[in-house]
Amino acid sequence: QAFFCLLFCIPWGSSCPPSCQCTERAGAKAVLCSSRHLEEIPEDIPRDVVFLKLDANSITRIPSNAFRHLSHLEEIDLSRNAIEKIDGAAFKGVAAGLRTLDLSSNRIRSIPKEALLALNAKLRLANNPWHCECALQEVLWEARLDPDSIQDITCHTAPREEYVGKPLLQVLDAGVNFCSVRQRTMDVAMFITMFGWFAMVIVYVICYVRHNREDACRHGDYLKSLPSTQAHAE
């Protein structure tokens, strides 16, 4: 009886991941997992956590629904990891309440815009090897970025060599629009595709006409070879 009381009377989410430290800050639960050599996000994080520190680890990916069960979460620190991939639904379930998300000093080159644009959180994206493209430009324009870190969002790679090494904000201020470049590329690709289909239709029509003409010639030769009605009469 004492065992079942112990099992069911403890509030759900009161446990703490073995590699982390759980404390309270101003009455809100904080889970501190900094510098614990973690390679992935722990699965047994208490449901009532408000502040989550996962910085200075070896996490490489944020999968879909990674924080979905943490409905009270307000701050996530994932800085100084080895994150390369972020799924589009990585922050599903916490987007509305999240106030701060730190992804600085990782290995992020690109990110699905739907992963960040749904957030109301202040974002820190500095010191990543970004590939400057339309999705990153849209994040810069539409997401809530930390003003102190915007200048540190630098183009590690870009469609043109002259943009490499420059802050993305500086490149955009110079009048560059990566989204229009992508649109022109799509337009050219669509034109080439349409031209290819048009050429195939023309070739088909030519072959069809030529084939019918050959059939007509063969049918005419066949009719000429038949005995005439006059010959039968004689």
Side-chain angles (χ1 to χ4, degrees):
Q1 185 177 0
F3 171 78
F4 284 104
C5 180
L6 181 64
L7 183 63
F8 292 108
C9 293
I10 296 176
W12 180 260
S14 61
S15 61
C16 189
S19 56
C20 304
Q21 177 186 1
C22 294
T23 63
E24 286 196 8
R25 293 162 45 184
K29 180 163 288 186
V31 176
L32 311 178
C33 308
S34 305
S35 304
R36 300 303 175 99
H37 306 289
L38 299 175
E39 296 183 357
E40 58 185 19
I41 298 169
E43 296 182 354
D44 49 355
I45 298 172
R47 292 178 177 267
D48 53 350
V49 62
V50 176
F51 306 103
L52 178 59
K53 287 185 66 64
L54 292 163
D55 56 303
N57 283 292
S58 301
I59 299 171
T60 59
R61 180 191 174 198
I62 306 178
S64 296
N65 303 310
F67 308 100
R68 183 177 58 182
H69 62 293
L70 308 177
S71 58
H72 300 281
L73 202 55
E74 295 182 5
E75 295 185 14
I76 306 176
D77 186 354
L78 284 158
S79 63
R80 296 183 295 152
N81 273 279
I83 298 171
E84 296 181 355
K85 180 175 176 57
I86 299 176
D87 291 356
F91 303 104
K92 186 177 181 180
V94 297
L98 203 61
R99 294 191 291 109
T100 301
L101 174 60
D102 194 342
L103 293 169
S104 59
S105 300
N106 277 282
R107 301 175 184 173
I108 306 170
R109 298 189 68 252
S110 63
I111 189 170
K113 63 180 182 181
E114 61 269 19
L116 298 182
L117 294 183
L119 298 175
N120 293 319
K122 183 183 292 185
L123 302 174
R124 298 189 181 100
L125 304 176
N127 301 317
N128 281 286
W130 291 107
H131 174 64
C132 288
E133 58 181 348
C134 182
L136 182 59
Q137 175 179 315
E138 291 177 340
V139 168
L140 188 66
W141 282 351
E142 301 181 34
R144 290 186 58 215
L145 297 181
D146 183 357
D148 296 332
S149 65
I150 292 180
Q151 286 293 341
D152 293 323
I153 301 177
T154 304
C155 297
H156 185 74
T157 56
R160 296 177 60 174
E161 189 67 26
E162 62 189 272
Y163 306 144
V164 175
K166 293 183 178 180
L168 176 60
L169 189 61
Q170 177 183 335
V171 174
L172 297 179
D173 285 343
V176 177
N177 189 336
F178 293 107
C179 295
S180 65
V181 171
R182 185 182 68 173
Q183 184 63 44
R184 286 197 299 270
T185 302
M186 292 176 61
D187 290 343
V188 171
M190 185 175 295
F191 174 78
I192 294 174
T193 303
M194 291 179 63
F195 179 80
W197 279 107
F198 181 74
M200 290 175 61
V201 170
I202 294 299
V203 170
Y204 174 79
V205 171
I206 293 174
C207 292
Y208 180 79
V209 171
R210 182 177 296 175
H211 178 73
N212 286 349
R213 183 179 297 173
E214 291 175 354
D215 284 349
C217 290
R218 284 196 296 269
H219 185 67
D221 293 341
Y222 172 74
L223 292 177
K224 291 178 181 178
S225 65
L226 293 176
S228 63
T229 305
Q230 184 179 0
H232 282 293
E234 291 177 357

